[in-house]
Amino acid sequence: PASEDSSLPQACQDYFKKAEDMVTKAGGSAEQMNQMIEQQRSQMSAIKDQAQLESSCKQALDMLAQQEKNMPQ
């Protein structure tokens, strides 16, 4: 899977792994979600400031955790 991108900080790798797991669980809209994840990945790869990048990924991870709580089990 594309989540194995060692050029990104750990927080970003965690984010993409969790996002991909959620896509797998969601099933239905997976294609659209995957496109969004790829778009985010390329945007994040363009950020050269590692501290800013890690901060962005942590925020994204928090948002993902919130979304997961609201998802029907």
Side-chain angles (χ1 to χ4, degrees):
S3 44
E4 302 302 318
D5 187 348
S6 57
S7 67
L8 295 173
Q10 188 61 47
C12 298
Q13 294 180 48
D14 292 347
Y15 166 73
F16 286 117
K17 183 174 186 338
K18 187 175 186 74
E20 287 166 2
D21 288 347
M22 283 176 68
V23 166
T24 304
K25 286 180 192 164
S29 58
E31 186 57 41
Q32 191 177 0
M33 289 284 288
N34 277 323
Q35 287 177 344
M36 191 180 77
I37 290 170
E38 287 308 312
Q39 194 173 10
Q40 285 179 319
R41 191 187 311 277
S42 51
Q43 288 171 348
M44 287 176 180
S45 298
I47 299 174
K48 297 297 178 231
D49 180 342
Q50 289 293 303
Q52 181 190 350
L53 184 58
E54 190 163 359
S55 171
S56 297
C57 290
K58 284 180 178 168
Q59 287 177 341
L61 203 49
D62 289 345
M63 281 175 25
L64 215 52
Q66 285 299 318
Q67 289 176 347
E68 193 174 34
K69 282 183 197 162
N70 297 329
M71 284 175 79
Q73 295 302 317

